Amino acid sequence: MIDLPPARRIRAVCIAREGGFAWTPGLSRPRSVVLDGDGGATRQRLMQMLREAAERGCESGPGVQGADRRRYRVEIFIDENDNDGDDVGAGGRGDGPVPAVVFEVPEEQAPESLLRIWKEAG
């Protein structure tokens, strides 16, 4: 199972559609949802989607799903200044944003909430 960081620490989520036989630029362009200062409905909706997607996903890695299958790659970026003692997402400072959690969801198993956010963010 994918361990998600606490909701209050999530600052952005990037979703990319990968794999498949044909490359289509419009469908492969990553989508981002930035949550700076948003503590309301958007964050709750995003957290619900992340929980549903994490239940169906697996950790990212080379060849995890196979090159001929489409999948959604979900990257969760956290606020490193809000450290509650865990090491989730600890990365080198100054190297730019590094995702704390990365996982993939096969397209045929993607929850409706993931597909909706993917379309809205595009």
Side-chain angles (χ1 to χ4, degrees):
M1 180 161 163
I2 309 299
D3 289 326
L4 298 174
R8 64 180 165 67
R9 293 189 66 197
I10 296 176
R11 293 297 168 248
V13 175
C14 182
I15 305 168
R17 189 173 178 213
E18 301 177 341
F21 288 114
W23 182 69
T24 52
L27 294 177
S28 62
R29 184 178 53 86
R31 271 72 161 178
S32 296
V33 178
V34 179
L35 295 173
D36 288 338
D38 188 337
T42 302
R43 183 175 300 274
Q44 290 176 355
R45 236 179 84 212
L46 191 65
M47 285 307 298
Q48 179 64 31
M49 180 277 293
L50 289 172
R51 283 189 289 272
E52 292 173 5
E55 288 175 4
R56 301 173 189 194
C58 60
E59 290 188 21
S60 227
V64 169
Q65 299 295 331
D68 62 337
R69 294 178 66 194
R70 283 204 174 108
R71 61 200 174 274
Y72 291 93
R73 179 181 174 89
V74 179
E75 299 178 332
I76 303 171
F77 295 84
I78 62 169
D79 182 357
E80 291 184 0
N81 296 324
D82 185 13
N83 192 350
D84 58 2
D86 62 12
D87 290 332
V88 175
R93 296 198 191 268
D95 296 336
V98 176
V101 177
V102 178
F103 63 94
E104 296 179 354
V105 181
E107 184 177 54
E108 64 273 7
Q109 296 176 18
E112 184 61 36
S113 57
L114 174 63
L115 301 176
R116 191 170 30 256
I117 287 176
W118 165 259
K119 290 175 185 174
E120 290 172 4

